[in-house]
Amino acid sequence: MNAVKGLLDFLARFITDYSPTHVACCWDDAWRPSWRVGLVPSYKEHRVVRADGAGGWVEEVPEELTGQVPWIRATLEALGLPIVGAADHEADDVIATLATVASGPVDVVTGDRDLFQLVEDARGVRVLYVGRGVSRHERVDEAWLQAKYGITGAGYVDFAVLRGDPSDGLPGVKGIGEKTASSLIARYGDLDGIVANAATLSPGVQRSLSAAMDYLGPAREVVTAVRTLDLPAVDLSLPAAPRDPELFAALAEELNLGGSAERIVAALASAATAPS
């Protein structure tokens, strides 16, 4: 049950280090939503391995991980850590909606760069980016984005559309790489500004944009995380101890969670007593 142990250690690390008052475990109810595929058919296409019995598409996932998903959900529920998802939407959309309606600062823990679009210093929204691993995670705020890409969180969607993202099957605009995308966003603000000023751009960039006009709008909608989901009312308060201690203890024994179970329980207790 390495996936369950890994998740508990992941949660324990961030709860211990940051002492949140609220936590949401956001879930992909649809890892490749039909509406995003309809806009950009190549979206996550490289992860599809076969059609399922209902005629849909199945993501390539190691069998050992698939088998642990029910145990992950059961363990989170026993701890009292809410799982939040939305039909035909990804976890990114759930995160974006929760971050948008939050009344206080928000730390988004993710390995997905697309969520850099949520970064907003004025509202205290930052990303704890684990792309290089938990122990080397980075605190992404507007200064970090400026230093890395020369843009703000508000410019990240259009930057990603121009640059493309092979990990999501987004081709980008041929001939426009990261540096050019960054300079265009910095100079003109967004895609609308870039297109409006296309006549002032170099002939090569003009040709690239002209060839990609049918891609830009749909790709922008695909990359933009939905912030307006109608989510169920869920208590996101971080519990001070497992909600169902007997069930959690039974799961810990059955799954041989050992130190991972001890660490998450200790993390919950520590966060509950941390100064606000």
Side-chain angles (χ1 to χ4, degrees):
M1 289 297 165
N2 289 335
V4 182
K5 290 182 178 179
L7 176 61
L8 293 183
D9 286 338
F10 178 96
L11 288 166
R13 168 67 183 271
F14 282 99
I15 290 171
T16 299
D17 287 356
Y18 293 95
S19 300
T21 58
H22 296 75
V23 169
C25 300
C26 300
W27 203 265
D28 276 335
D29 274 23
W31 67 276
R32 189 175 182 244
S34 57
W35 60 273
R36 281 195 165 105
V37 176
L39 289 163
V40 178
S42 64
Y43 183 63
K44 296 186 178 180
E45 188 175 33
H46 60 294
R47 304 187 200 178
V48 175
V49 290
R50 62 182 172 83
D52 63 23
W57 297 99
V58 178
E59 183 179 17
E60 184 174 17
V61 179
E63 290 185 11
E64 59 271 23
L65 177 57
T66 302
Q68 294 182 64
V69 169
W71 293 117
I72 289 173
R73 292 190 67 103
T75 302
L76 291 175
E77 289 168 359
L79 284 168
L81 299 178
I83 300 169
V84 188
D88 205 26
H89 284 82
E90 300 174 64
D92 283 5
D93 302 311
V94 178
I95 292 170
T97 297
L98 291 175
T100 299
V101 302
S103 58
V106 175
D107 281 336
V108 175
V109 185
T110 182
D112 190 343
R113 292 182 299 176
D114 282 349
L115 287 177
F116 291 171
Q117 65 188 271
L118 302 180
V119 170
E120 186 179 352
D121 286 359
R123 295 189 59 247
V125 180
R126 65 180 177 177
V127 168
L128 304 180
Y129 181 59
V130 297
R132 298 194 302 165
V134 173
S135 63
R136 301 173 65 194
H137 74 272
E138 299 168 273
R139 298 179 180 91
V140 179
D141 55 15
E142 290 183 0
W144 189 98
L145 288 174
Q146 284 288 350
K148 179 73 172 178
Y149 301 116
I151 59 173
T152 65
Y156 191 83
V157 167
D158 290 348
F159 169 76
V161 168
L162 291 168
R163 180 199 60 192
D165 189 346
S167 67
D168 279 341
L170 295 172
V173 177
K174 187 176 181 180
I176 295 182
E178 189 168 286
K179 289 184 178 179
T180 301
S182 174
S183 65
L184 289 172
I185 296 296
R187 183 174 181 182
Y188 299 107
D190 57 18
L191 275 177
D192 296 333
I194 294 168
V195 172
N197 290 278
T200 68
L201 305 176
S202 70
V205 173
Q206 287 186 50
R207 287 193 295 270
S208 294
L209 288 173
S210 179
M213 288 303 294
D214 290 342
Y215 158 81
L216 294 177
R220 186 190 229 178
E221 191 171 348
V222 165
V223 176
T224 300
V226 179
R227 296 172 178 252
T228 56
L229 293 177
D230 184 14
L231 298 175
V234 179
D235 182 6
L236 303 181
S237 301
L238 185 72
R243 176 179 297 164
D244 190 333
E246 292 184 3
L247 177 57
F248 182 70
L251 287 167
E253 181 176 359
E254 182 174 359
L255 303 178
N256 192 28
L257 298 181
S260 297
E262 296 171 2
R263 283 187 286 274
I264 187 62
V265 171
L268 295 177
S270 175
T273 58
S276 57

